[in-house]
């Protein structure tokens, strides 16, 4: 924690002092990194504040205090280094009392929680600094309909000064504080899925037990795919509507849209873009064949320090790249051993394991590329053993792995699934605050989303390759789902829908995370791994820990 920043804002919001006392890491993530995630509790809190958040009334000057109640009063003071918005100010016998509304209840002894108390003290300090006579603050708990007084004394003033100073010192650090260990506070924290407290503690060996499943459940929102040429995506109220030639083909709630994926000539209205960006849903533009052309999103993530560290990792992150290549080779080997008909040759399995070991022993970039290429040749030489249809198998064997244009149906579906996968990893990078273009393994050339491609490596075999094998072996796609153009093969519109549906089934299915031992969907794992990489980049953990299946 030796490195510090010198540009901590002059004023600390009183609400952030509440977070600091509750959990210093939460305070850092919210105030310094500007990370936020809504939850049922935070939405209920907004409902509790629905009246007091509507400003009405003017606070009379100190020399003319009136008995009128004033709500939503903004206050600041440079000497205290604090700012706040007081929910309500009551006047009694020439004194003022700040009233803070809380959704919960006081502790068992009827006293306010420490975090709530420090926020009330900050409000008392700012009212007094504005010239008003203050003897106490009030916390009104909605769950019990109980008002609890917080005395404003000299001891309270000293306590507040100490907490403000400690908070500013934590905010000046380059890295956030370490997570709490096995704390009940984490289980209902809205930022648990961003903070990853138990996961970080497991990786740092700060706890011996497996990670609790405090990661929020998979969101109800899902990607929306618009593949029909000539379609129009617009927004109406809180809904996203897809039409073609004046006829409605889809009508979805905005909150159900995780991202919008448009293929080919599909129009998206400015209003729809604005609504989607406001909801944190990026819009991804793909070619008709599934090639990711680009994306649009709202304001970039506010964690500037993470982006700075990502630039450093781009230049020095060979160890991250080595772990990614290692995981990719191990997962390729596992898939071959699971699905090869007649088994994979022992020599091939042994050679791939040796290459995986060498990847982490020799993290120099040119060597990694050679190791990855050697493993890929072994893998795709044996890939056809996992295909059931002799005609499909022989067509792939005749060509091997070819990308542009794909000469056979297997290569065609592989390329399409890789495009869908990189699209999901771009979304994960944007959610975490990582620049999808600045990688540690793939070079940022020709507009490639290099970091998304890096994170994709460990998931290629267990997601994209697995989907490709299943759609052929289960006869989900047939010859009628492909068309030949020149020397290449393309999926028809019907074929793309079939493969997309199979891909969505895979990424929404669950696996047991090999490190944390709880179950979650592949799509959620994408974001978890992006957050683990971000933690390694800023120095919270020593190294990136990829997903390696057995």
């Amino acid at each position: 924690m030796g490195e510090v920043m010198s540009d901590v804002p002059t004023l600390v919001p009183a609400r952030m002092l509440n977070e600091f006392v509750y959990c210093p890491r939460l305070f850092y993530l919210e105030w310094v990194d500007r990370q936020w995630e809504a939850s049922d509790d935070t939405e209920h809190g907004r409902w509790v504040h629905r009246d007091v958040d509507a400003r009405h009334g003017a606070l009379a000057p100190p020399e003319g205090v009136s008995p009128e109640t004033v709500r939503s009063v903004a206050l600041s003071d440079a000497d205290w280094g604090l700012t706040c918005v007081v929910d309500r100010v009551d006047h009694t016998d020439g004194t003022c009392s700040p009233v803070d509304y809380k959704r919960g209840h006081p502790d068992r002894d009827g006293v306010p929680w420490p975090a709530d108390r420090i926020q009330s003290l900050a409000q008392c300090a700012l009212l007094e600094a504005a010239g008003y006579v203050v003897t106490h603050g009030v916390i009104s708990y909605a769950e019990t309909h109980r008002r609890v007084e917080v005395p404003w004394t000299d001891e309270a003033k000293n306590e507040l000064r100490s907490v403000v100073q400690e908070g500013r010192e934590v905010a000046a650090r380059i890295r956030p504080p370490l997570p709490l260990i096995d704390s009940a506070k984490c289980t209902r924290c809205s930022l648990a899925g961003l903070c990853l407290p138990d996961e970080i503690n497991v990786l740092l060996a700060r706890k011996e037990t497996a990670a609790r499943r405090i990661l929020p459940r998979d969101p109800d929102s899902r990607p929306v795919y618009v593949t029909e040429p000539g379609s129009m995506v617009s927004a109406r109220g809180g809904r996203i509507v897809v039409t073609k030639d004046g006829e409605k083909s889809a009508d979805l709630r905005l909150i159900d849209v995780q991202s919008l994926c448009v293929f080919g000539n599909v129009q998206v209205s400015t209003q729809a873009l604005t609504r989607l960006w406001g909801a944190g849903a990026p819009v991804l533009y793909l070619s008709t064949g599934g090639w990711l052309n680009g994306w649009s999103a709202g304001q970039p993530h506010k964690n500037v320090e993470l982006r700075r560290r990502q630039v450093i990792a781009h230049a020095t992150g060979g160890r991250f790249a080595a772990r990614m290549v290692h995981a990719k080779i191990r997962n390729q080997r596992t898939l071959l051993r699971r699905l090869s008909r007649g088994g994979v040759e022992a020599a091939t399995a042994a050679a791939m394991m040796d290459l995986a070991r060498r990847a982490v022993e020799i993290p120099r970039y040119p060597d990694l590329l050679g190791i990855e290429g050697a493993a890929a040749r072994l893998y795709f030489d044996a890939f056809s053993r996992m295909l059931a249809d002799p005609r499909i198998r022989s067509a792939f064997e005749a060509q091997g792995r070819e990308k542009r244009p794909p000469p056979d149906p297997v290569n065609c579906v592989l390329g399409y699934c890789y495009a869908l996968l990189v699209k999901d990893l771009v979304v994960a990078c944007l959610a975490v605050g990582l620049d999808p273009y600045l990688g540690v393994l793939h070079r940022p050339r020709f507009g490639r989303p290099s970091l998304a491609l890096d994170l994709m490596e460990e998931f290629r075999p267990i997601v994209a390759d697995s989907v490709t094998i299943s759609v052929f072996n289960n006869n989900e796609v047939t010859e009628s789902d492909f068309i030949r153009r020149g020397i290449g093969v393309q999926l028809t519109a019907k074929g793309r829908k079939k493969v997309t549906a199979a891909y969505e089934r895979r990424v929404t299915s669950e696996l047991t995370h090999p490190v944390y031992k709880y179950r979650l969907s592949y799509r959620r794992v994408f974001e978890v791994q992006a957050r683990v990489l971000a933690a390694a980049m800023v120095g919270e953990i020593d190294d990136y820990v990829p997903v390696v299946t057995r």
Side-chain angles (χ1 to χ4, degrees):
M1 296 290 186
E3 295 181 84
V4 297
M5 297 180 289
S6 59
D7 56 348
V8 176
T10 303
L11 302 178
V12 181
R15 187 178 68 83
M16 289 297 104
L17 283 189
N18 179 304
E19 307 288 30
F20 176 73
V21 173
Y22 186 81
C23 171
R25 183 176 175 86
L26 175 64
F27 157 81
Y28 191 100
L29 294 178
E30 281 199 20
W31 192 42
V32 180
D33 289 348
R34 293 295 196 269
Q35 299 195 55
W36 175 250
E37 188 80 15
S39 69
D40 291 344
D41 288 343
T42 61
E43 290 304 306
H44 186 219
R46 289 178 58 188
W47 174 254
V48 169
H49 280 79
R50 66 192 183 281
D51 290 330
V52 297
D53 285 344
R55 298 191 180 204
H56 52 80
L59 191 61
E63 62 274 10
V65 171
S66 68
E68 180 185 1
T69 294
V70 183
R71 297 178 179 176
S72 196
V73 179
L75 299 167
S76 298
D77 183 71
D79 291 336
W80 276 103
L82 290 170
T83 183
C84 77
V85 176
V86 183
D87 290 341
R88 196 176 90 187
V89 177
D90 288 348
H91 307 284
T92 306
D93 299 328
T95 66
C96 289
S97 300
V99 180
D100 194 22
Y101 286 82
K102 298 296 181 186
R103 62 171 296 276
H105 56 83
D107 75 4
R108 293 178 181 178
D109 297 325
V111 299
W113 300 103
D116 297 342
R117 180 174 178 275
I118 205 69
Q119 186 173 357
S120 181
L121 292 180
Q123 295 170 353
C124 290
L126 292 175
L127 264 180
E128 185 178 76
Y132 298 89
V133 178
V134 181
T135 60
H136 65 273
V138 176
I139 302 175
S140 178
Y141 286 101
E143 185 174 315
T144 57
H145 302 287
R146 183 172 180 178
R147 290 164 58 96
V148 181
E149 292 190 357
V150 179
W152 180 235
T153 63
D154 290 340
E155 291 79 6
K157 295 177 184 179
N158 291 333
E159 177 187 355
L160 178 61
R161 288 192 181 93
S162 177
V163 171
V164 172
Q165 180 60 31
E166 291 174 9
R168 294 185 66 84
E169 290 174 356
V170 168
R173 298 173 183 172
I174 290 293
R175 291 186 288 275
L178 292 173
L180 304 176
I181 299 177
D182 291 333
S183 174
K185 295 178 181 180
C186 300
T187 56
R188 297 193 66 173
C189 177
S190 65
L191 263 64
L194 283 64
C195 170
L196 301 182
D198 276 24
E199 291 80 357
I200 295 295
N201 286 330
V202 165
L203 295 177
L204 291 175
R206 298 180 72 214
K207 55 175 296 184
E208 297 180 357
T209 57
R212 299 168 294 171
R213 182 163 186 171
I214 61 174
L215 190 69
R217 65 181 174 83
D218 286 336
D220 294 327
S221 60
R222 292 288 185 269
V224 173
Y225 297 87
V226 183
T227 61
E228 192 68 28
S231 296
M232 177 70 184
V233 182
S234 58
R236 298 175 187 172
R239 306 187 73 83
I240 295 297
V241 179
V242 183
T243 58
K244 183 180 179 183
D245 299 330
E247 295 186 6
K248 185 186 300 183
S249 55
D251 188 342
L252 309 99
R253 298 184 304 171
L254 178 61
I255 60 174
D256 292 332
V257 181
Q258 183 244 15
S259 60
L260 176 67
C261 310
V262 297
F263 291 72
N265 297 321
V266 174
Q267 302 297 318
V268 184
S269 72
T270 303
Q271 186 181 23
L273 287 173
T274 303
R275 295 286 178 83
L276 289 163
W277 294 343
V283 180
L284 299 107
Y285 301 92
L286 300 96
S287 69
T288 303
W291 182 258
L292 181 61
N293 290 325
W295 59 85
S296 62
Q299 291 189 17
H301 202 282
K302 298 177 178 64
N303 190 348
V304 177
E305 180 60 24
L306 172 58
R307 292 202 291 276
R308 189 175 79 87
R309 294 288 174 144
Q310 184 180 351
V311 173
I312 296 172
H314 166 69
T316 62
R319 69 186 192 280
F320 301 152
R323 300 299 295 272
M324 293 168 177
V325 172
H326 170 85
K328 176 185 179 181
I329 298 172
R330 289 281 303 275
N331 289 341
Q332 286 175 331
R333 178 178 180 271
T334 297
L335 193 69
L336 285 175
R337 296 182 71 186
R338 285 179 180 173
L339 301 182
S340 290
R341 296 169 183 271
V344 62
E345 294 181 1
T348 299
M352 294 186 73
M353 181 58 77
D354 180 63
L355 289 168
R357 283 194 294 264
R358 287 174 55 195
V360 291
E361 293 170 357
I362 314 173
R364 292 178 60 248
Y365 182 70
D367 296 327
L368 278 178
L369 293 182
I371 290 170
E372 182 188 26
R377 285 191 292 273
L378 290 171
Y379 175 67
F380 283 111
D381 283 348
F383 190 90
S384 62
R385 292 173 177 262
M386 296 184 284
L387 298 167
D389 190 323
R391 292 174 300 172
I392 296 295
R393 185 168 61 243
S394 61
F396 181 79
E397 288 174 344
Q399 303 293 338
R401 176 69 182 119
E402 291 290 341
K403 302 176 183 179
R404 301 187 193 94
D408 63 280
V410 173
N411 273 299
C412 178
V413 175
L414 279 173
Y416 186 77
C417 288
Y418 290 154
L420 296 180
L421 183 55
V422 74
K423 172 265 299 181
D424 276 342
L425 270 302
V426 165
V427 172
C429 288
L430 294 174
V432 173
L434 292 165
D435 184 344
Y437 280 110
L438 201 60
V440 294
L441 174 62
H442 293 83
R443 300 296 90 184
R445 301 180 62 199
F446 310 112
R448 294 182 302 189
S450 300
L451 189 68
L453 292 170
D454 293 349
L455 286 166
M456 188 172 87
E457 293 300 334
E458 64 206 71
F459 296 109
R460 284 179 187 262
I462 57 180
V463 175
D465 296 357
S466 177
V467 170
T468 299
I469 294 163
S470 68
V471 296
F472 284 108
N473 289 354
N474 296 334
N475 292 319
E476 291 183 68
V477 293
T478 62
E479 290 184 6
S480 63
D481 295 311
F482 299 91
I483 55 176
R484 183 167 292 279
R485 295 279 177 82
I487 61 173
V489 172
Q490 293 181 358
L491 281 162
T492 64
K494 183 179 179 181
R496 286 195 299 273
K497 291 180 180 179
K498 291 180 179 179
V499 176
T500 301
Y503 174 84
E504 282 297 312
R505 286 200 308 271
R506 182 60 172 174
V507 295
T508 54
S509 65
E510 292 189 342
L511 77 158
T512 299
H513 197 287
V515 178
Y516 312 125
K517 308 304 181 186
Y518 53 57
R519 292 187 65 78
L520 69 173
S521 72
Y522 280 95
R523 179 166 279 130
R524 176 60 79 178
V525 173
F526 298 159
E527 184 175 327
V528 170
Q529 291 306 114
R531 294 195 182 281
V532 170
L533 179 60
M537 286 180 172
V538 300
E540 282 192 78
I541 57 177
D542 294 332
D543 206 347
Y544 175 65
V545 181
V547 170
V548 178
T549 56
R550 294 176 181 269

